[in-house]
Amino acid sequence: MKKNLIIITALLMSQFVQAQISKDAAMHQFVGKLLAKMTLQEKLGQLNLPASSDFVTGQVSSSDIASKVIAGSVGGVFNIRSVTKIKELQEYAVNKTRLKIPLLFGMDVIHGYRTIFPIPLGMSSTWDMQLVERSARIAANEASADGIQWTFSPMVDLTRDPRWGRVSEGNGEDVFLSSAIAKAMVHGYQGDDLSLPNTILACVKHYALYGAAEGGRDYNTTDMSRVRMYNEYFPPYKAAVDAGVGSVMVSFNEVDGIPASGNKWLVDDVLRKQWKFNGFVVSDYTGIPEMMAHGVGDFQAVNVKSLQAGVDMDMVGEGFLTTLTKSLKEGKIKQAQIDKACERILEAKYKLGLFDDPYRYCNAQRSATEVFTAANRAEARTIAAQSFVLLKNNNVLPLAANKKIALIGPLANAKENMTGTWSVGADNTKSITVLKGLTDALGGNANLAYAKGSNLDDDIELEKRATMFGKEIPRDNRTADEMIQEALKVSAGSDIIVAALGEGAEMSGESASRSNLDIPEAQKRLLKALVATGKPVVLVLFTGRPLALNWEAANVTAILNVWFAGSEAGDAIADVLLGKVNPSGKLSMSFPQNVGQVPLYYNHKNTGRPLGTWFEKYRSNYLDVSNEPLYPFGFGLSYSQFEYGKMELSSTQLKGNQTLRVAVEVKNIGKVTGKEVVQLYIRDMVGSITRPVKELKGFDKIELAPGQSKKVVFELTPASLKFYNSELKLDWESGDFQIMVGPNAKDVKTAQVNWVK
């Protein structure tokens, strides 16, 4: 039976491979014939990706983009949404150009289209790849129903400095977790068949090293060894490539002194030759002309450099369109380079089925019935609740429904801020606030009082910067003391205070770096006044990054980190506060004690003078604070308690390609059903190059009823031990390895094995 199954499987795989080869051959033949008909200017037009100055339906003819489309000077457009607008413009491309080549329509669909899910840093805190993939699948279905064919997601930049605002868009500090999320997101967007009208082309970004910007300042210089690149920062991008991602966006920063948009080693040697990427590469917004400011050449020169590096599509810069003809005549580039870039873009359009039906994404019925549906919103609510991280709970959560609750804070009734940064397709008028969520959940018996308590920030101009793009929180012009006194009056009649505080939606995200990681002073002043009442205070923390919460951790009764949870934020927050959902999120990024510790991450390396106990003179430590984070990577509490049994190893002496089985019994010793993320780490004790003190190599999210136990089993093979050595060869080395299992990166059980080749 087993032999027959193997034969059948082999035959099916062979048939699949043959069918794919046949499909690829048909695509190459079609694209090759089309390329042969194209003029130089038509080819350059395919390399041009302008942003649309959005137009009113029915007025495409008077828009600035229409004349460019008719001239054959546009390969794709982004920032247009709605079936009617996209169809209008597509008709211009198909009916008013010589070769009738359809346009590619892209948009920043980052954590949902109209139904918004938690920001990516929040999604990563679910540690649930099925939920991550499901969120991307729903986003793809909604976006494609509204005419979008291409998303600039996932962002998989490894991020270890919370000053950088774009940590909100990434998956945190760990390479293993981020790589798993990259794979799940790509499959969620693209599915198994890009030609289906409910799938969209994914674009992994920002390639590469963008998350390591110096000083945590956006767009800033990045510099690191190639050993670190290959071992820590490259793998999530490669995971997306291995998952079949259709496009890659290059980053704004430099790599080895050469801006990524013109870095041939990065794009051609690594991405294409080493990783075998066969999709197309697009620049970031004006990334190519920005190379001039880096100081590597004039406008013509940087466009030459970018094309030679292997960038296929120029986002907004329009330098490919306007300078490459001159550069070709001067012999600075080759016709074959232009042809290859054009070929890759045409192939993407072919895979999306646009040559068969340019309007396949323009189905008005789908747009009317499949976007922001009740079912999608229900899933968003469920997923959001799984992303929340319970950082502290001094026996006050979940809240009893009969308690008198005072809801205080500038984010308690801030509808426009619930979806967070990069939620460009959201209808924030329909977002659920904490106030509405709690009011609806408590129903007619609601004993809930509300006061704003403070503005988001004392500084009006800073508050404007933190609530851009229609996410303003109406400012209260009373004095800070008057607002606090109102909050105290409202709180006086309560049993418990829920304080909804933290960052505004645009306080993190692109160009939103911060040098101070505290909750804004206006809100902290309010929080201290609430704590001084002596009543239990639950901090519902809105944030797009790890914050420094030393005072809060020491003084408030409970802390629930809700990130920015999306369209259904308020309902999901109410679900967790009232115990309908047991929180199960785990941090994907360490929370520092203060900003002076950053960058801070669990998988660091030892120094020659590692710290034993704080403080020791002539050891690697600070005078004023320990080296430890306030909350470590992988940390998160539950309304349950989980007990870890003794770690069991299948062997402590292994050789060659043997498999190590690591097992641990986990028991729910609490009173309610809960979920736990069991985490496996290893440490390579001796290497030809120095190795991290811990590396995540496995995780499993399990659900246990009260009193229930489960044996969680992980399997490690030599592939789990591999790293890039000083010669950039991927291999493993014989020796001793520590094996660690626990609920977070700090609290682990440890054993040791010896593994030889």
Side-chain angles (χ1 to χ4, degrees), residues 288-313:
I288 296 174
E290 286 175 26
M291 286 197 288
M292 293 187 290
H294 281 277
V296 295
D298 61 18
F299 189 54
Q300 182 182 355
V302 297
N303 281 281
V304 166
K305 197 172 188 70
S306 187
L307 184 73
Q308 289 178 334
V311 175
D312 304 303
M313 187 172 253

Side-chain angles (χ1 to χ4, degrees), residues 103-178:
L103 298 170
L104 180 63
F105 291 92
M107 186 178 169
D108 285 292
V109 180
I110 307 300
H111 52 109
Y113 175 65
R114 187 62 58 82
T115 303
I116 305 298
F117 299 92
I119 58 171
L121 188 61
M123 281 299 305
S124 69
S125 298
T126 68
W127 291 61
D128 189 324
M129 297 307 104
Q130 288 185 328
L131 291 186
V132 170
E133 182 172 331
R134 182 63 185 150
S135 73
R137 179 85 295 276
I138 292 171
N141 193 72
E142 288 196 351
S144 63
D146 235 9
I148 307 300
Q149 308 146 5
W150 180 27
T151 176
F152 306 115
S153 174
M155 184 194 119
V156 299
D157 302 324
L158 205 67
T159 56
R160 292 170 169 174
D161 189 337
R163 293 174 297 178
W164 190 51
R166 300 195 83 165
V167 302
S168 62
E169 299 174 51
N171 306 313
E173 69 193 49
D174 182 71
V175 57
F176 186 87
L177 179 60
S178 189

Side-chain angles (χ1 to χ4, degrees), residues 35 38-50 68 71-76 101 303 307 311-314 318-329 333-335 337-339 341-343 345-346 349:
L35 268 172
M38 296 174 72
T39 65
L40 173 60
Q41 200 59 30
E42 286 170 333
K43 292 173 182 176
L44 295 177
Q46 289 300 305
L47 316 189
N48 189 34
L49 179 69
K68 294 179 180 179
S73 300
V74 178
I101 299 173
N303 281 281
L307 184 73
V311 175
D312 304 303
M313 187 172 253
D314 174 14
E318 299 212 331
F320 280 5
L321 185 69
T322 59
T323 70
L324 291 187
T325 299
K326 182 173 186 288
S327 296
L328 181 64
K329 290 177 181 177
I333 57 171
K334 298 177 180 177
Q335 181 66 51
Q337 292 172 317
I338 295 172
D339 289 351
C342 184
E343 177 185 26
I345 293 160
L346 295 175
K349 294 179 179 182

